[in-house]
């Protein structure tokens, strides 16, 4: 789970509750109809804008991206070097015994193709095309989040306009004007909170998580290609480590450089 | 028909009607003149911005894109492999008997050129130039939708300003100020609804549908080129499947990889 | 003349007049000073932003682009094939008799260079550089229109602020507040109309027309190069037709493909 | 001096003064504190955003760009052809006598390097790197102007908010509300004028002038390279003229083409 | 320390204090709750948007970027030439004695790899990958600053809406309306100040400082590669100086050109 996301959401919500409850009753800010217009309106616009499949896929992307811990590239490279050693020592078919321990299906499918003796170009093509599909799914998730961030405030404004038009048509009782306008403004406020505390920041986080995952998958592709071609484990390590900036390289680094 | 589009439009409209009717008479929100300014104004701006031909074409693109079911790439690839088998077994001229069953004119014209013995480079050039034209037509449709999404709120604001100027010039009767302002705000509300529930989301959907159609047409072009060059049906399948991400590949996949 | 532009401008203006005159006297919306601030202010900003030469050139681009009918690529290709036949039959010098009938100076200059025996690379360089200049002129025209679309609302807002400051400084007579505010809002309304009915849509139309003209000129360049190199007229036609999408190709098309 | 810039600035300022003085006393619009907030605030933000060196450099770029007349490419090419003739006739060292007459230091340094027998690749590298530096300086100037155009309205709004908060805290005397609000609105108006009459249009003009200067310097680089390699003056002219669109070429043009 | 940043921040803050204190008591503008909503809200959104690691890294980037003086490329080149002389005269291993004096770890690690006899391609790969990581870190810092500049005004608006809703629900006492609205507006003002005086300008400065640092590191990479390949010190100087525009080159320049 991404800890910063939870801290941010809890802290932002807490702040707003604290700001409201210090000066007024929370019930003045709770209005089911206003919530329905903002969330329902944004959901309607998103359904018009995206295929059902993508909207449902977004939930999965969101869940997976936020609940999964990001992988450590150094540990991954260490594993890859281990597989390269197995392949070198016992032949590439020996890797089949290893794949049972791996949980990442992307890596399993890559090693399986190498074990099956699939043509290297075809392996790379297939893995790159899978990677492209992952990126496209993430980009769709980001687009949908950004759309919520755009449509929630828009329907907030529409809700406020509806409230104002109703209020302006019923001004016989002056004492009702204030509260009516207060309710009208609630949708604008809900729209702003949904967009700025939830949807837009989550869109950014999805993008960053996607970048990390693509980075990891690029290392896996390079590793599978190197293992398949029977590279010396040291060379495999060296090749993969050039992906990492100095600060992220492990302790074997100096020797790798001098190799 | 794209089911999400209908759900979204019905749900969004229902929500707004429910929000209005819970608190006021719907007639307070129905104003023919306001509708005319927002829709007519946006239509005027779109006519100034785009050639008549493109505006009419947009209707067709919109209808076709929203009413046509997206094609299944797996079924398409299976068909292509079948045609490759026919061409291999009975010669490329035998494909002429098949084209009668095909409904996609893009595919028919590609196979026809292959049957006619047209030069491969020329086939690819012509098909790519047709594909470019399809993409351009979709991009035009998207631009027009986006323009409606930009001009509808603008004319909504213009309508509100017109109403405000009229109201401010006639303030003798204080009791008329509220209702006059309510009517003035209606155009802003209509503009926001047209843009955020209809035009901008439809522009996004057009773009996604266009991407899907281009993807399908790219597979068709690769398939026609492979069939024309007399490729082995297995090779044709393998080539085309690399376009698909793992999750979309059919059951023949494993064997294809091991081939 | 571009018919959609006229329809759009007339329809939009008519709509606004109708909306105003249904409820108020048109004179309440006619204010010379407000027009001066919006149009004069936008013109001032455009002069600061662009060299005088470009602003004057924009008028010409606008007039030419909107009043000239777009050329039919099929008719153009038919002409080019005719010239290729003349050049093939009677030698390239015979083309000199033809240039008198051509009205497009770009085409005349291209054929003239071919007749003069100018080096092919130089012909292409010169024609491409002329094409670049045409594109740059169109892009300048579009930029200026977009600037008007940005500065007219800005000066509309400035005019409204000036009016509000004056009104707020003279509130002794409450009955004058409404009319003063009405006048103040007029500049905002003018700015929005100028931007959204005229300037921004015209900028879009200029861009589309520019794309069409560049497309025509690209065909001309390819045609001149093919004629100059003495290509067979059939080959010239085939080469040029690959520029056109299926829907735009003429009746000779099928045979061309089978050639 | 760029005449359009002056016309625009004088015309825009005049219009605003005329609009104000027709209806109110100019003194109601003159408020030193408001000017200080808008200009001082924008200047502060620009200093936070850019290194001092760039801000000072911007003044120089602005002055040079606006006060210098743009160079005529035809005259420049004529000069270059003259130098090519000198170099051809009397040897490249003879060019040293010419450089005293040239005022453009970029051209002088280029010819000097050619005279010194510097390696052609090094000449081109050095001149391109100088050109890049000029472009970077212009781009910095444009960025700073755009920042002023963004921060001036922002500090205008901040000033108005400060004024409103003060006014709302002192509402005992109703007659003071109007004037206080008038003063509060002044900063918003100043910010809009600074941005839309001065900063944003000047940013555009800087960009256009930069494009012109880069164009001239590209011709100079090509010319120096051609002279250095001992090209025939006719060839030099021909090479350089292909940079110019038809409308800008001089009378020697036809013969150059037929050469 | 970047002097312009301090001047800008002090000047902008001073201006605002002066503008407030001239007309009102500063205490009317100090409201802890408002500060908490704007800063706390923006911080919450940033935590949702970015991983904790990046947010903490941003502080370090900000501190390092603003407190470190930018390096002088001429001095750097002079040092590089000195190292090239050492390597030429005493062999590349002699450079090991020099690295103790160097403070830039990027340069030290580059020279160390050269001394260790690491393969040149690997040296370049590793240094480029380190440079990419530095750029990515800077870009993250800029993104976070821009996010603060976007979310601070958003939470300012949310705070104002909360205040307005509370005020509109309690309008029994007319005299409390003004002060309540004043307090409500404070969050909008704080949000605008945080965004326009601090966050957005700092994002720009980070980008400029990043460009400078990348420029310096590019020179270092070229220098290490040249030293490693045993280039003549004069050649090293010449190669590196072509990076610098004329105005930044030192006095040895003329001779370098004539070399």
């Amino acid at each position: 789970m991404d800890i910063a996301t939870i801290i941010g959401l809890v802290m932002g919500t807490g702040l707003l509750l604290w700001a409201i409850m210090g000066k007024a009753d929370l019930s003045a800010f709770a209005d089911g109809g206003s919530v329905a217009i903002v969330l329902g309106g944004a959901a309607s616009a998103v359904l018009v804008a995206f295929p059902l499949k993508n909207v449902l896929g977004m939930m999965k992307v969101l869940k997976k991206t936020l609940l999964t811990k990001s992988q450590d590239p150094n540990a991954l490279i260490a594993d890859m070097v281990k597989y390269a050693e197995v392949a070198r020592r016992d032949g590439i078919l020996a890797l089949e015994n290893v794949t049972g321990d791996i949980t990442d299906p992307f890596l399993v499918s890559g090693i399986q193709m190498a074990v099956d003796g699939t043509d290297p170009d075809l392996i790379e093509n297939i893995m790159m095309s899978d990677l492209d599909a992952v990126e496209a799914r993430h980009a769709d998730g980001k687009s949908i989040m950004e759309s919520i961030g755009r449509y929630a405030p828009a329907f907030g404004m529409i809700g406020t306009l509806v409230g104002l038009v109703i209020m302006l048509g019923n001004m016989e009782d002056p004492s009702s004007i204030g509260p009516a306008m207060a309710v009208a403004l609630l949708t604008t406020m809900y729209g702003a909170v949904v967009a700025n505390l939830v949807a837009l920041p989550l869109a950014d986080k999805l993008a960053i998580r996607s970048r990390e995952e693509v980075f990891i998958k690029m290392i896996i592709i390079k590793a599978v290609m190197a293992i398949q071609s029977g590279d010396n484990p040291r060379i495999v390590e060296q090749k993969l480590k050039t992906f990492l900036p100095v600060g992220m390289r492990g302790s074997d680094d100096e020797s790798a450089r001098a190799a």
Side-chain angles (χ1 to χ4, degrees), chain A residues 13-51:
Chain A
T13 314
L15 255 171
L16 290 175
L17 293 179
W18 167 80
I20 289 170
M21 294 195 297
K23 294 188 183 165
D25 200 53
L26 194 60
S27 68
F29 284 82
D31 185 63
S34 301
V35 174
I37 287 187
V38 171
L39 294 188
S44 305
V46 163
L47 282 171
V48 177
F50 296 91

Side-chain angles (χ1 to χ4, degrees), chain A residues 37-38 150-165 184-192:
Chain A
I37 287 187
V38 171
R150 197 172 42 167
Y151 292 125
F155 278 89
M157 193 190 81
I158 290 171
T160 296
L161 284 167
V162 168
L164 285 179
V165 169
L185 286 181
L186 282 182
T187 51
T188 294
M189 196 197 78
Y190 288 159

Side-chain angles (χ1 to χ4, degrees), chain A residues 16 65 93 132 166 171 180 205 218 230:
Chain A
L16 290 175
T65 310
L93 292 180
D132 289 349
I166 292 174
M171 304 222 300
K205 178 117 342 145
M218 281 303 303

Side-chain angles (χ1 to χ4, degrees), chain A residues 127-221:
Chain A
M127 293 188 89
M128 287 304 291
S129 133
D130 285 358
L131 178 52
D132 289 349
V134 168
E135 273 195 275
R137 219 155 44 226
H138 288 178
D140 277 351
K142 181 170 189 277
S143 289
I144 293 175
M145 269 297 157
E146 284 174 337
S147 290
I148 296 176
R150 197 172 42 167
Y151 292 125
F155 278 89
M157 193 190 81
I158 290 171
T160 296
L161 284 167
V162 168
L164 285 179
V165 169
I166 292 174
M167 181 202 86
L168 288 165
N170 300 284
M171 304 222 300
E172 294 80 30
D173 175 11
S175 76
S176 74
I177 295 179
M181 200 157 162
V183 172
L185 286 181
L186 282 182
T187 51
T188 294
M189 196 197 78
Y190 288 159
V193 171
V194 168
N196 292 294
L197 185 57
V198 184
L200 297 176
L202 278 183
D204 278 345
K205 178 117 342 145
L206 279 186
I208 290 172
R209 281 318 197 83
S210 172
R211 226 190 332 160
E212 283 175 11
E213 195 174 333
V214 168
F215 181 68
I216 290 288
K217 284 193 161 40
M218 281 303 303
I219 293 180
I220 291 178
I221 294 178

